[in-house]
Amino acid sequence: MLQLEQVCKNFGGLPALSDVSCVVPRGQLTALIGPNGAGKSTLINCITGVLKPSSGEIHFLNNQITALPSYQITRLGIARTFQNLKLFPRLSVLDNVLTGLTCEGGSSMLMAMLRPPYLRHRERQLKLRAMEALDRFGLSDKADWPAGVLAYGDKKRVELARATVGRPQLILLDEPVAGLNAEETAAVAEQLRRLRRAGHTLLLVEHDMDLVMDIADRVVVLDSGKCIASGSPNEIRRNPLVLEAYLGRVEATA
Ligand SMILES: Nc1ncnc2c1ncn2[C@@H]1O[C@H](COP(=O)(O)OP(=O)(O)O)[C@@H](O)[C@H]1O
Ligand SMILES: [Mg+2]
């Protein structure tokens, strides 16, 4: 579904990604792992058009998306969450999730002001879908709360609801359980399994190795901006390069 070919990204001459080539197969949950600073978020930002790769190509469903702006990439069916939460704190939880459906609003400013009946009907439908998404993540009772007052775990779930409400073909999740407690992590893991079962394709950036080994179909390992391995969780667990580069260092810093 997604294919990266020799993607490079430099920041002021320093390489954050060097010749990264990898694939995200349709219908699978692919985990992207690697130590801090490996380039995982940079890769997600390049895929979603937040950053432009210095060189290389990114293909999504037969579209070359390398040079496209974010909104066009979203329209093609790629949604994401951010590592550092990006919610609108003063908007309600419901309105935050509705922003995940902006591609489908499609009305002009004039029509939005006149609000003809067909548009009101459309708005109601979109609200219904947003409410369903909130329900899936156990947030219905907080729909009217300003997003800014929510606890951290709830904010992470609002991001997940927003990323999935438009039923995107590919969902990119940048550390969705970072900072959550064990119970909240288990709940999110179950949500991810459900999305996977419902046929979504997921690319999950994650630090928690137990979680990755538990829910991923495939694992891609980045280290210092390079893709050093990819394969099934079991293959990755035994790969000496990965053990040295990733697990070794985690143990060293633990
Ligand atoms: N906007 C930026 N400007 C300069 N350097 C950056 C920027 N974003 C990331 N980097 C650098 O790129 C490298 C990879 O960062 P990042 O993609 O955030 O890693 P990860 O998500 O794997 O922890 C790091 O060395 C980081 O300091
Ligand atoms: Mg990151």
Side-chain angles (χ1 to χ4, degrees):
M1 176 173 269
L2 183 76
Q3 194 177 355
L4 281 76
E5 283 167 20
Q6 299 188 304
V7 172
C8 297
K9 178 69 192 173
N10 301 321
F11 289 113
L14 292 173
L17 295 174
S18 325
D19 281 332
V20 174
S21 300
C22 62
V23 294
V24 176
R26 182 193 293 273
Q28 293 195 0
L29 194 159
T30 302
L32 179 62
I33 67 170
N36 262 333
K40 305 179 296 293
S41 295
T42 303
L43 195 67
I44 300 277
N45 286 334
C46 285
I47 296 169
T48 49
V50 174
L51 293 171
K52 203 170 164 335
S54 310
S55 63
E57 290 189 359
I58 305 174
H59 296 263
F60 173 64
L61 297 173
N62 301 324
N63 300 289
Q64 147 94 270
I65 61 167
T66 325
L68 292 184
S70 290
Y71 74 94
Q72 284 186 10
I73 293 174
T74 308
R75 267 191 206 156
L76 286 171
I78 300 183
R80 69 169 297 175
T81 64
F82 289 85
Q83 178 170 4
N84 306 311
L85 295 161
K86 290 218 180 345
L87 294 175
F88 301 101
R90 286 161 192 255
L91 288 188
S92 71
V93 167
L94 179 65
D95 285 340
N96 266 282
V97 175
L98 275 167
T99 62
L101 290 168
T102 43
C103 300
E104 300 180 32
S107 55
S108 67
M109 177 77 97
L110 180 64
M111 283 300 154
M113 287 193 305
L114 294 174
R115 300 188 76 233
Y118 82 88
L119 207 60
R120 267 177 273 162
H121 175 67
R122 182 94 194 96
E123 278 176 15
R124 270 198 302 275
Q125 280 182 325
L126 294 179
K127 266 192 187 156
L128 211 61
R129 277 174 61 189
M131 282 307 295
E132 282 167 9
L134 285 178
D135 196 35
R136 278 199 292 280
F137 290 94
L139 289 162
S140 320
D141 53 335
K142 294 175 183 149
D144 297 330
W145 293 26
V149 308
L150 293 182
Y152 180 77
D154 282 346
K155 285 182 182 162
K156 291 287 252 193
R157 287 189 291 159
V158 175
E159 276 229 328
L160 283 169
R162 179 171 68 185
T164 52
V165 68
R167 301 192 188 102
Q169 310 227 39
L170 172 63
I171 308 170
L172 312 175
L173 303 160
D174 200 350
E175 306 207 16
V177 303
L180 300 189
N181 65 31
E183 196 182 324
E184 291 168 328
T185 299
V188 170
E190 184 48 36
Q191 286 297 340
L192 299 184
R193 277 191 210 98
R194 244 186 258 171
L195 290 169
R196 155 88 173 65
R197 280 200 298 272
H200 287 285
T201 305
L202 299 127
L203 178 63
L204 166 73
V205 174
E206 190 42 64
H207 259 300
D208 183 336
M209 286 300 281
D210 290 337
L211 179 70
V212 166
M213 294 301 162
D214 185 24
I215 66 175
D217 300 294
R218 278 186 80 251
V219 183
V220 174
V221 190
L222 275 188
D223 184 33
S224 307
K226 295 193 179 70
C227 177
I228 60 163
S230 63
S232 72
N234 269 331
E235 284 163 2
I236 292 301
R237 210 197 300 259
R238 290 194 302 261
N239 185 313
L241 270 180
V242 179
L243 289 174
E244 187 194 318
Y246 184 61
L247 301 176
R249 218 173 295 166
V250 169
E251 272 158 27
T253 54

